Amino acid sequence: MPTSATSPAETVYRVPGDLAVVREFVRAESEGLGLSSGRADLLAVAVSELATNTLQHTDGGGVVRIWAEPGLVRCEVVDGGEPPGFGRAMPAADQPRGRGLAIVERICDEVGIRPAGDGTAVRLGMVL
């Protein structure tokens, strides 16, 4: 288990076809930083939800960064969009959309937002 912070690895996404690459990047990097396979899969789902929102609601794609901090794997999804509205209830089962951010909040141990240039960075944390 890493005991000190590591430098971020990153990948860029611009089109829907890049999402599979993003998910595999997050899985591989987070496992390499000490997350179990199951938790790495969950982090990949959370990042995929955020990246999908980027592609649906903004122009220009985004960047995913991942690194380790003591006891934690940290991942950041940066795009040119407005800050998302977290703190949502899970939509009813018969609703066709709107689950992405609620899923992210339930999967990750930490979720935060910060300004990033002309856009937003959503920062996720998963405890090792």
Side-chain angles (χ1 to χ4, degrees):
M1 176 164 32
T3 57
S4 62
T6 60
S7 296
E10 74 176 44
T11 192
V12 174
Y13 61 97
R14 290 189 171 82
V15 296
D18 293 338
L19 293 173
V21 172
V22 166
R23 287 188 293 271
E24 185 51 37
F25 167 79
V26 171
R27 268 190 215 100
E29 291 292 326
S30 61
E31 281 186 32
L33 294 170
L35 273 187
S36 69
S37 177
R39 297 213 7 108
D41 286 343
L42 289 173
L43 183 57
V45 168
V47 170
S48 183
E49 289 292 338
L50 294 171
T52 298
N53 282 354
T54 297
L55 296 176
Q56 289 178 343
H57 303 293
T58 72
D59 294 325
V63 176
V64 175
R65 294 185 185 104
I66 190 166
W67 67 96
E69 295 177 0
L72 190 72
V73 170
R74 184 81 67 193
C75 194
E76 194 170 68
V77 180
V78 183
D79 66 31
E82 296 293 319
F86 284 105
R88 307 167 177 227
M90 185 65 73
D94 63 347
Q95 296 300 306
R97 299 179 50 93
R99 286 176 185 70
L101 297 178
I103 288 170
V104 169
E105 287 185 284
R106 284 155 180 83
I107 286 175
C108 297
D109 298 314
E110 295 180 8
V111 178
I113 302 168
R114 69 175 186 80
D118 290 336
T120 302
V122 177
R123 188 172 280 190
L124 309 174
M126 295 287 280
V127 174
L128 290 169

